[in-house]
Amino acid sequence: MSSFKDLRIVDNFYQTSAFFPMPTTLVGTLTEDGKTNLGAYSLCFPYYVAGKDYYAMILECRNSSNTAQNILRGSKVSLNFIPDERKYFREAVRLGFPGDTTAEKMKNCLFTLEDGIAGPNRPQVVKEAYQVFECTWDDTLEDARLDKAGNLEGYEPPYRNFNGVTSKFGAHFILKIDKILMQEKYYHAIVNGVKAKDFPKVPVDYGYRDSTNFWYTPFKKPVPEKIRAKEGDVQSVKYAASRIDPDVKFTDEACAKLTKIPRIFLKAALTQMVNIAKEEGISLIDEAALEIINDKRRKEKK
C-alpha cells in the first residue's frame, strides 16, 4: 500500500494541489502609450537552453492580463528577478493583483525603473533587481503573430499548443533572451568564481496559495555540495579525441587532464577545443595549448 494520498488535480494545480517552488519575477511590458507596466509572475522558466541559435524563457499567464495584451501588441519584455526583502515581495503581490490598470498599478510603485541596454522602444527594467533578462517574444513559432490583443473576455479557438494564445483564458510566450543584465557584485562573482557569500538573496515562491495569502520562503545562506563526478579513464578520452579531427591531435598528458568531463559532454567539449585550436593555429594540443584553449573557452562563456 502506498504511503501517499491521491490528491485531486484541479485548475491552477501548481497553486491549489501542490507545493511547487518557483521564482519571483516582475515582468515588464509596454502599454500602447509607451509606459512600462510591471506584473508579478512565477510561471517563468528556462525553455531553450542549448543547441538552438538563441536562448529562451517561457512565460505562462492569463491572456487577458495587461502583460499578455502588451506582449501580443508589442513583443518586448523585461524579466526582473527581485531580491528577498519582505517589502519587495509585498509589492510584487500588489502588482500581481488582476484587474488593475497600468496607471493604477504603477502609481506610487515601490520599484525604481531605468532604461536597459538592449535598445530603444523597450520596457524599462527594475533597478532593485539582482538580474534582468531583456527579451523579445518569438511570435514566428506556431504562427503566433496571428494572435492579436483586444479579447479581454477570453479567446475562441483555434489555439496554439505552446506559443501564443493556448486556451480560452491562457497564453504561453517563448521569449528570446536578448541581454542578461547583472548587478555589478553578482557579475564579478560569476566571472571570477562564486562563493556562498556571493549569492543574491533569492525568494522562493511556494506556489501554493489560499484565498487569503501568497506564501514564500525567505533566503538563507546556500550550502555547497561537492560534485562527485565519475572520472573516465585516459584511454576513453584518447579514443574520443583521436576521432574529432585528423589534423588536430591531443597528447596523452592533455587527455589526462580531461578525464573529469562527463562522458555525455566529452565529444562536444573536444569538438569545441579542436575548433579553437584551429583558430589559434594549433595542430597539437598539449598541456600548454590546453591552457590557451580553456582560457578562450572561459572568455567565450563570459
Side-chain angles (χ1 to χ4, degrees):
M1 179 179 290
S2 174
S3 60
F4 291 93
K5 300 290 290 183
D6 182 8
L7 186 62
R8 186 167 65 96
I9 304 172
V10 297
D11 285 355
N12 295 323
F13 66 90
Y14 68 96
Q15 289 182 324
T16 55
S17 305
F19 301 104
F20 194 80
M22 299 186 292
T24 303
T25 65
L26 295 177
V27 178
T29 53
L30 283 179
T31 63
E32 288 186 271
D33 59 354
K35 301 291 193 303
T36 296
N37 175 85
L38 293 179
Y41 287 91
S42 288
L43 292 177
C44 187
F45 308 100
Y47 193 75
Y48 292 145
V49 298
K52 298 280 288 186
D53 59 355
Y54 65 89
Y55 304 103
M57 300 287 286
I58 183 169
L59 172 67
E60 304 171 44
C61 56
R62 289 180 300 105
N63 57 38
S64 61
S65 67
N66 292 324
T67 296
Q69 291 292 304
N70 290 341
I71 295 175
L72 290 170
R73 188 182 299 110
S75 79
K76 303 301 183 183
V77 179
S78 65
L79 304 179
N80 304 272
F81 295 79
I82 60 174
D84 172 30
E85 288 194 31
R86 188 64 184 272
K87 64 179 181 179
Y88 291 161
F89 192 81
R90 185 180 297 116
E91 181 72 343
V93 171
R94 185 186 73 81
L95 291 169
F97 191 81
D100 290 345
T101 66
T102 296
E104 291 169 335
K105 287 203 304 181
M106 299 305 294
K107 183 180 181 180
N108 301 320
C109 178
L110 178 65
F111 296 103
T112 308
L113 295 176
E114 65 178 33
D115 292 338
I117 65 173
N121 303 316
R122 286 179 171 268
Q124 292 182 296
V125 303
V126 174
K127 184 177 182 180
E128 291 82 2
Y130 61 86
Q131 70 182 15
V132 180
F133 295 173
E134 291 193 278
C135 301
T136 301
W137 176 39
D138 187 349
D139 62 2
T140 65
L141 299 173
E142 282 204 292
D143 290 328
R145 67 169 69 86
L146 300 176
D147 294 335
K148 303 299 182 182
N151 294 353
L152 302 182
E153 302 302 322
Y155 283 74
E156 297 303 320
Y159 300 122
R160 317 295 166 190
N161 288 314
F162 65 91
N163 188 47
V165 175
T166 52
S167 67
K168 186 174 180 65
F169 301 111
H172 291 61
F173 297 105
I174 309 303
L175 304 176
K176 176 184 176 182
I177 300 175
D178 301 314
K179 296 288 184 180
I180 293 181
L181 314 185
M182 191 74 61
Q183 290 286 353
E184 186 173 6
K185 63 181 293 188
Y186 305 121
Y187 168 89
H188 288 302
I190 287 180
V191 169
N192 299 318
V194 178
K195 299 179 175 61
K197 65 180 179 61
D198 298 320
F199 280 79
K201 295 168 60 180
V202 178
V204 176
D205 184 338
Y206 257 111
Y208 177 79
R209 60 167 293 187
D210 51 33
S211 60
T212 306
N213 298 304
F214 275 97
W215 296 81
Y216 89 106
T217 183
F219 176 83
K220 292 184 178 180
K221 182 179 178 180
V223 178
E225 182 65 34
K226 279 289 185 184
I227 299 173
R228 291 171 174 81
K230 181 179 179 181
E231 295 187 19
D233 60 78
V234 176
Q235 291 301 320
S236 296
V237 177
K238 289 171 61 177
Y239 179 85
S242 67
R243 283 156 175 75
I244 299 299
D245 191 296
D247 297 325
V248 179
K249 304 297 183 183
F250 288 74
T251 66
D252 290 354
E253 293 76 15
C255 289
K257 288 183 171 292
L258 303 175
T259 57
K260 290 187 177 181
I261 299 175
R263 188 181 301 272
I264 192 172
F265 301 130
L266 183 59
K267 182 178 179 180
L270 292 172
T271 300
Q272 184 187 31
M273 291 176 190
V274 166
N275 290 339
I276 293 174
K278 286 187 167 182
E279 292 173 3
E280 298 293 322
I282 298 171
S283 59
L284 180 66
I285 300 178
D286 56 16
E287 291 179 277
L290 192 61
E291 285 296 318
I292 295 171
I293 291 168
N294 282 335
D295 183 60
K296 187 165 184 179
R297 291 174 74 204
R298 285 189 289 269
K299 288 179 179 178
E300 287 180 353
K301 286 183 179 180
K302 296 175 186 178

